[in-house]
């Protein structure tokens, strides 16, 4: 994997205005639990016995409370403390040393602690993590967990100004480096949540374009948008099939948004991301029935993650790295103009695709954009292609609702990319499970008659299809022409597919921003 050395000159303390513009509130590094200016402390730890040294003032009141209320040790609580903050919210992590325990316990405890603090009226919390050496990134993860709980949805910030923030400042007893890294990472998660979580009208394709242009105005990330229908039809025919019905409504017309970051110095690694940005998925002609359509505004979390990762790059400014991120923003509408099963559409790569299910629109939206990336990749330095998508219910069925799936083609597998990103995600509470693209996946998508080269999908939902989250990656390889760049070719190209259907967050609820923390840890490791 590529790694760069990054000087922390870009991570100096920002002004309060700068911090507040990209994260839910001003975030300050503090040296002591006795810091002034806070009206409550949120303590995250697994054991009161670890509260020694500067943390010892927190131990006695908690032990006294626990002496007649044992539930405190498991469920937490709020007590008075003889410190300037006056109130102490105890947010226990639970066990940390069993086989099943991981660093997410810190994020979960911090989020719950902040929520309880807000309920008891604390508006200027000071976050404290008890000493523990088991997890190297525990401080960062704890702070990010608190910031997640402080996020306010974009529509609320815009439409209900009095609820635009939950707190004015968040203190953290820890290093300034940790605080400023958390601010940079959280600014990316805010962008990802804003795009991914906002309703299908607030983040319809043209409004995503407006939002992205505003976010990156004056930054090191350049924005180029393809919106002309003739151009979209010519360059991205599979995308345009999905867009065919939606484009009849001006506010729903599709966009392909290209974002580019080029770090200082010679490029040593080129990361090329394609995100699924389905702003609403009705299922199209194969309409989602039985109430399962609700929540389909979140089908744009792949593109949202691309934009969020680019925001992190704009904040951290890693050298020697080039990143091209493309957002395939489209609405899968239903009506007289919608594409239907049995159509045969020729992809940008010249591959004849037979449609099997219009609800498999995400792979359609991305395949031609991935082909464009492939065409560019042969001229780039050390290229690595990646698709990110809330693609299949099968991913949730296979791994549960908290995990993203990641899988490599041959060249990427030889470089152990998926395992490297998985290990990175494990450290920063952004978990992924490694899957494998196998011969059965390619065979599944092979054309079944003389009419077509590739079958887009069968006629069943992914949850009723064996290998329902692995085979779409084989489709993307075949439809984009990446099969000509496998490990047996003269120009092998690394390609990794991430299905974030499980990891993107609960609905109802707030999107997680997955997998941008894992990507940041894997591709910008020197800042951690």
């Amino acid at each position: 994997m590529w790694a760069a050395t990054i000087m922390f000159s870009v991570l100096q303390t920002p002004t309060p205005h700068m911090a507040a513009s990209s994260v839910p509130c001003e975030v300050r590094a503090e040296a002591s639990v006795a810091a002034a200016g806070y009206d409550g402390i949120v303590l995250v730890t697994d054991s009161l016995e670890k509260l020694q040294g500067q943390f010892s003032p927190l131990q006695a009141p908690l032990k006294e409370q626990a002496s007649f209320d044992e539930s405190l040790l498991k469920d937490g609580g709020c007590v008075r403390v003889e410190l300037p903050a006056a109130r102490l919210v105890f947010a226990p992590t639970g066990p940390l040393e069993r086989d099943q325990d991981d660093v997410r316990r810190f994020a979960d405890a911090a989020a719950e602690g902040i929520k309880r603090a807000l309920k008891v009226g604390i508006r200027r919390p000071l976050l404290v993590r008890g000493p523990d050496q088991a997890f190297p990134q525990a401080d960062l993860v704890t702070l990010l967990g608190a910031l997640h709980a402080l996020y306010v949805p974009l529509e609320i910030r815009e439409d209900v100004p009095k609820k635009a923030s939950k707190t004015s400042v968040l203190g953290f007893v820890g290093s300034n480096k940790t605080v400023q890294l958390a601010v940079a990472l959280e600014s990316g998660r805010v962008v990802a949540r804003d795009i991914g979580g906002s309703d299908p009208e607030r983040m319809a394709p043209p409004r995503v374009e407006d939002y992205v242009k505003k976010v990156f105005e004056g930054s090191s990330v350049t924005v180029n948008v393809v919106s002309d229908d003739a151009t979209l039809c010519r360059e991205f025919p599979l995308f345009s099939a999905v867009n065919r019905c939606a484009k009849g409504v001006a506010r729903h017309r599709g966009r392909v948004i290209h974002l580019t970051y080029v770090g200082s110095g010679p490029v040593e690694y080129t990361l090329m991301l394609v995100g699924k940005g389905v702003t609403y998925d009705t299922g199209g002609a194969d309409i989602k029935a039985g109430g399962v359509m609700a929540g389909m505004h979140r089908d744009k979390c792949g593109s949202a993650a691309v934009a969020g990762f680019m925001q992190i790059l704009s904040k951290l400014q890693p050298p020697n790295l080039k990143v091209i991120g493309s957002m395939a923003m489209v609405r899968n509408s239903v009506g007289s103009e919608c594409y239907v099963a049995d159509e045969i559409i020729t992809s940008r790569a010249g591959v004849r695709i037979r449609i099997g299910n219009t609800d498999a629109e995400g792979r359609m939206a991305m395949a031609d954009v991935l082909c464009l990336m492939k065409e560019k990749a042969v001229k780039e330095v050390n290229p690595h292609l990646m698709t990110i998508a809330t693609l299949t219910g099968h991913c949730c069925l296979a791994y549960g609702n908290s995990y993203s799936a990641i899988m490599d083609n041959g060249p990427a597998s030889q470089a152990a990319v998926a395992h490297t990103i998985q290990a990175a995600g494990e450290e920063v509470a952004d978990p992924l499970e490694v899957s494998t693209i196998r011969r059965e996946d390619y065979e599944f998508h092979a054309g079944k008659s003389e009419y077509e080269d590739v079958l887009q999908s069968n006629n069943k939902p992914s949850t009723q299809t064996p290998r329902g989250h692995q085979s779409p990656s084989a489709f993307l390889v075949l439809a984009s022409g990446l099969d000509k760049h496998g490990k047996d070719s003269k120009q092998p190209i690394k390609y990794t597919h991430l299905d974030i259907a499980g990891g993107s967050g609960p609905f109802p609820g707030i999107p997680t921003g997955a997998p941008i923390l894992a990507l940041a840890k894997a591709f910008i490791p020197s800042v951690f």
Side-chain angles (χ1 to χ4, degrees), residues 425-443:
E426 200 69 23
E427 289 193 45
V428 292
D430 194 358
L432 305 100
E433 300 286 10
V434 176
S435 286
T436 306
I437 311 171
R438 298 196 178 275
R439 65 183 186 185
E440 289 86 354
D441 302 317
Y442 290 97
E443 292 166 359

Side-chain angles (χ1 to χ4, degrees), residues 199-240:
D199 76 64
E201 290 296 329
R202 176 59 188 89
M203 281 297 171
R207 299 192 73 184
V208 173
E209 174 188 350
D210 294 340
Y211 177 91
V212 167
K213 285 181 174 178
K214 184 175 181 180
V215 166
F216 295 114
E217 184 179 8
S219 78
S220 55
V221 174
T222 61
V223 181
N224 178 266
V225 180
V226 183
S227 58
D228 174 67
D229 185 57
T231 304
L232 290 170
C233 289
R234 182 179 65 253
E235 296 190 5
F236 309 111
L238 299 182
F239 171 96
S240 294

